[in-house]
Amino acid sequence: MTTRRPVPADLLHGAAVLLGGGAVVHVLAADSDQPRVALAFAALIALGQCAGGALPGDREPAPVATAVALAYALLGPLHGLPTAHGVLQVAAVTAIGTAAGLAAQLAGRAALAAVRRRPRAPLGGLDAAARRLVTVSFAALLFQPLYGSGATDRLCGPAYGALLAAVAALAALGDAVLAAGQQRARTGLRYSAALDDQLRALLGIGSAQVATGLLLSLLAGEAGLWALPVFCVPLLLAQASFRRAVEVRATTGQTIETLARATEIAGYTTPGHARRVADTACALGRELGLGSRELTLLEYAALMHDIGQLSLVEPVPGGATALLPDAEQQRIARLGSEVIRRTGVPRQVWQQVARLADPCRLDDGRHDPTLPLASRIIRVANAHDDLRTAAADRPRAGALDPLDHLRLDAGRGYDPVVLDALARLGRRGHRAARCRPAD
């Protein structure tokens, strides 16, 4: 199965620089329309950029800046008076406001680093800034020629609103397509999985961003520029809520990392086993097309897959549960899932752990459709690490390669699809990486 190749980040950045630079030069040479209005929008875009921060789902880190820029792209009459700023002025105002905001962020981080005497934090948001300029210009290209030609004058209120909504929706979809390409290049996800992530995220802060842009363009047309800062407040509150979600997710990840080490500290598993299994599981998940949310849940389950060993009177030799009978593996998995269930992690995590030792096929030979893919992935990753550790501790001449050993039980204990993915990773010399950045 082939996937679409991502849009290279350098290409998008280069396109944004050329578009923004060319638009600014053109506007300066031809004189801008209503410069005070343009300055007001540029200032709000800069403030929105400064107020930006990390948001879940690899989404736009400065939604207020994008909402204001989108409002300018969709702006028709202002307080009942016609405007004529056009596509290039929209691109120029967006570029100037974004550049000013990024410069202010950079200066602020430099000053903070000097006060704390620490290395300056890297400036993020460049990918999102490039996407903003391209997608807002695209929205202006769809709307401004219609408005400038007078075609929108013949539309009644609902039809005019529907036109704005359609243009904003197309721009949001275009942004998701570009963001998926950037996420694919950054994380190694399949493009289809990255696009699915971005479309899901579009239902969250993305929808609030688009709705705010629409609202601002309509309210500015009726009430004037004073409506812009007032009606940005709800989006700022939504941004704060999403930022809080990032902090909660980071705390959850740190808690799970700590809990996963309990079996190592107690001597039930070898040092680093849980982390190695999680990293291998994440690499397999990417290879099999899982999205970022599914990969995060997979990592949580893989880190805690051996918690059930704490119920054993005597540790398993070397912590190698893969070498135990199936019934004992299933008992340990069920006990572990009950412990994990009480930690407050998402339901899918303890369900994946509960089923990770179940056979892939039913008694009649049919594939078990209820067995989660994550459970099948973790079982292969765990067994592979157990066998590699055992082989390193007790090398034997003529012993099977761990992957070949797993293939002996392919189709029942171990999913052949997951084993094939493991083989592909091995042939490429792939090094497993974490599903999420280290906290």
Side-chain angles (χ1 to χ4, degrees), residues 66-108:
T66 299
V68 173
L70 181 62
Y72 193 50
L74 301 179
L75 182 65
L78 177 65
H79 207 4
L81 299 176
T83 59
H85 46 276
V87 177
L88 289 178
Q89 185 163 320
V90 169
V93 166
T94 302
I96 292 171
T98 299
L102 289 172
Q105 281 184 315
L106 187 61

Side-chain angles (χ1 to χ4, degrees), residues 24 41 47 63 65-66 105 304 388 399:
V24 170
F41 275 94
L47 290 174
T66 299
Q105 281 184 315
M304 298 191 291
R388 289 183 62 185

